[in-house]
Amino acid sequence: PGEAGEIVGLGRLTMTGYLNRPDATQEATWVDPQGRRWLRTGDIGRLDDEGFLYLVDRKKDMILSGGQNVYPADLEAVLLQHPDVAEAAVIGIPSERWGETPLALVVSRTPGGDDDAAGDARARGLRDWANARLGRQQRIAELRFVAALPRNPNGKILKRELRRAHSP
């Protein structure tokens, strides 16, 4: 209870594998010591003391920074507490020192003026505000203001597009 981990499922109605794709099937399953095949959901979750499961984040969105798991949803929740933040998304970008480090992409409630020195100072100020509320291993390395976050038709933020556009 309280510890985050990958969510896997076992049941008679879970898929047995991908058609003609043994590599994808192997990646999507986990075999326990008893030989049972579990389906990896790709989600990170935690159980509370009563056994309720909470989704924390997507496994592929998790940032591995200095050997620590950093969950973007935790950082995004802190950023969304700031009155000037309308939307926020956090992705991992390469870091020579840490392996990966968090980059925050923020849609401001106060549009404009984010492409100049004042915008840079505003971004640093917001980053510092968030970092003062985050754990040491969670600190945001860089914060950038963006006009909008890419979304799919269901409204989900497309982090793969953000990684493609903002990773070096």
Side-chain angles (χ1 to χ4, degrees):
E3 189 173 322
E6 183 179 7
I7 300 171
V8 296
L10 174 69
R12 60 184 187 85
L13 298 178
T14 56
M15 73 168 198
T16 56
Y18 290 98
L19 181 62
N20 299 324
R21 295 193 51 211
D23 57 327
T25 299
Q26 184 176 2
E27 188 176 317
T29 58
W30 171 70
V31 179
D32 70 15
Q34 290 78 32
R36 296 177 297 188
R37 295 176 64 95
W38 294 72
L39 178 66
R40 295 178 181 272
T41 66
D43 294 309
I44 302 293
R46 65 173 175 79
L47 294 171
D48 69 11
D49 291 332
E50 296 179 37
F52 288 98
L53 175 64
Y54 294 84
L55 294 177
V56 175
D57 221 325
R58 294 285 297 157
K59 184 176 179 184
K60 64 184 168 189
D61 292 340
M62 183 182 71
I63 300 165
L64 186 58
S65 184
Q68 298 287 320
N69 294 339
V70 177
Y71 301 105
D74 294 342
L75 284 65
E76 293 159 0
V78 169
L79 286 164
L80 289 170
Q81 293 174 14
H82 193 279
D84 192 36
V85 176
E87 295 181 290
V90 175
I91 60 172
I93 57 171
S95 165
E96 283 188 33
R97 182 173 183 188
W98 303 111
E100 285 185 300
T101 191
L103 165 66
L105 301 158
V106 172
V107 176
S108 175
R109 290 189 191 281
T110 312
D114 295 324
D115 295 340
D116 56 11
D120 291 343
R122 201 167 134 228
R124 280 192 307 276
L126 179 55
R127 183 200 63 202
D128 293 346
W129 177 90
N131 284 344
R133 289 155 177 79
L134 292 166
R136 203 169 155 202
Q137 74 281 0
Q138 296 175 304
R139 292 196 179 133
I140 297 166
E142 186 178 348
L143 186 142
R144 298 177 192 162
F145 286 107
V146 294
L149 297 172
R151 296 182 180 274
N152 71 12
N154 294 328
K156 183 178 181 224
I157 294 172
L158 298 172
K159 291 199 175 178
R160 70 179 175 275
E161 287 189 21
L162 293 174
R163 282 190 287 273
R164 187 173 30 244
H166 295 278
S167 292

